[in-house]
Amino acid sequence: MVFLNPALAKTSGGIIGGIQAKSNWIKNMVGGTSGKLTDKGIKSFIARKVIGSKLADGQGLYLLITRAKTASWRIKYRIEGKEKSYTIGTYPQSSLAQARLELKEVKASLNKGRDPVVARRITMAQAAAHSESTFRAVAEEWFAMKEKEWSLTHHTKSKRAFERDIYKALGELPIESITPSVIAKAIETINKRDVLETATRILQHLNGVFRYAQAKGLFEMVDSTTKCNFEQLVKEAKDVLVSKASRPASQSSHDLSTP
């Protein structure tokens, strides 16, 4: 028979209380009722700054005091028989509400049989690839390359024309997703201004950007769906511009340098 010290039982819950507390902790870590925590309780917990201590919210979500004494949101989960940890971010930069929302996303990923850590890495890689292959990013690389070949005036005017007439429509699109119809729509505003030289120059530069993208292996010049060659698009668009021009190009030659 085990005799408990009343004082110990009162102050710390004793052996039985300790076992019960541990049982509740385990329950909360592997799928107990969520939504236990409050911001007030979290701030009180963080104030103690006990490295390695954990505060559970339920369903695997908990706060961990790291060696740097920051409070890091973690989610404990199991997949393929292995226990893993998913890091969300630090509190309060990542709020309690945000952490619970990410918990739902992690659970949704697990329900589909996907490892949430692996899924996040793939998403981040795709986002990085997307940011590096947007039309604007590729065009900026192309302009940087052409800076050594062109005069300062021509380079400045050309970049300014893209910023004014092209980036708004195409800038944030992945370059491999851009089709001839998208380009045609982008130059409609130039057509409305009836500035033949500007439109022609921009079309020539667009062709240069796409050829550069092709050389980098970002996409094929002949789209597998539309079977349309971008070089042919430039020629056709130029023919349309010439036919629609209502005044000599010389009258609009300064448009490329308009702020």
Side-chain angles (χ1 to χ4, degrees):
M1 182 178 294
V2 179
F3 294 88
L4 301 178
N5 185 323
L8 180 62
K10 181 177 181 180
T11 57
S12 63
I15 295 175
I16 296 175
I19 293 174
Q20 183 63 45
K22 182 66 175 179
S23 176
N24 289 338
W25 162 253
I26 294 174
K27 179 182 177 182
N28 287 329
M29 289 304 297
V30 300
T33 304
S34 63
K36 291 180 59 179
L37 300 182
T38 63
D39 284 315
K40 182 178 180 180
I42 290 172
K43 291 174 182 178
S44 177
F45 167 73
I46 294 174
R48 301 190 190 100
K49 296 184 178 179
V50 180
I51 296 175
S53 60
K54 302 175 182 179
L55 184 65
D57 187 52
Q59 299 189 41
L61 176 63
Y62 66 98
L63 266 177
L64 169 70
I65 302 300
T66 67
R67 292 182 179 180
K69 295 185 178 181
T70 58
S72 176
W73 286 113
R74 306 286 176 90
I75 298 174
K76 185 178 289 187
Y77 66 97
R78 296 185 69 86
I79 188 167
E80 297 180 350
K82 297 180 180 180
E83 185 176 281
K84 296 187 176 184
S85 178
Y86 179 99
T87 301
I88 298 175
T90 58
Y91 180 91
Q93 287 76 16
S94 294
S95 68
L96 175 59
Q98 290 172 329
R100 287 173 177 167
L101 181 61
E102 193 140 358
L103 172 62
K104 291 182 179 179
E105 294 175 357
V106 166
K107 290 175 68 177
S109 182
L110 289 169
N111 288 337
K112 295 177 182 178
R114 301 174 183 171
D115 187 326
V117 171
V118 175
R120 179 167 61 181
R121 287 173 184 167
I122 293 174
T123 299
M124 291 175 67
Q126 291 174 337
H130 172 79
S131 65
E132 293 173 0
S133 64
T134 61
F135 178 85
R136 180 189 289 270
V138 176
E140 289 298 316
E141 288 182 18
W142 184 76
F143 276 121
M145 182 178 65
K146 291 296 181 181
E147 189 171 8
K148 299 177 182 179
E149 303 176 17
W150 295 347
S151 68
L152 177 60
T153 300
H154 177 58
H155 186 267
T156 301
K157 288 181 178 180
S158 298
K159 281 195 68 175
R160 188 176 297 160
F162 263 49
E163 290 167 357
R164 180 189 61 222
D165 296 318
I166 298 300
Y167 285 159
K168 184 176 181 180
L170 306 180
E172 303 311 312
L173 296 177
I175 196 162
E176 70 274 11
S177 72
I178 298 175
T179 62
S181 61
V182 173
I183 297 174
K185 187 174 182 179
I187 63 173
E188 283 181 3
T189 54
I190 309 174
N191 289 342
K192 291 177 181 178
R193 292 208 310 273
D194 197 18
V195 281
L196 177 60
E197 183 174 336
T198 296
T200 302
R201 185 68 56 82
I202 286 178
L203 284 168
Q204 291 172 347
H205 291 345
L206 281 171
N207 187 53
V209 172
F210 285 118
R211 291 183 64 84
Y212 176 67
Q214 181 193 28
K216 291 188 67 175
L218 296 178
F219 80 117
E220 295 295 329
M221 287 292 282
V222 179
D223 184 85
S224 60
T225 302
T226 63
K227 302 296 182 184
C228 180
N229 190 293
F230 282 97
E231 290 183 346
Q232 184 64 25
L233 167 72
V234 172
K235 181 180 182 303
E236 292 176 356
K238 183 177 179 180
D239 290 343
V240 170
L241 289 172
V242 170
S243 66
K244 288 185 176 182
S246 58
R247 62 175 182 271
S250 58
Q251 292 183 15
S252 56
S253 60
H254 298 294
D255 185 76
L256 197 59
S257 62
T258 303

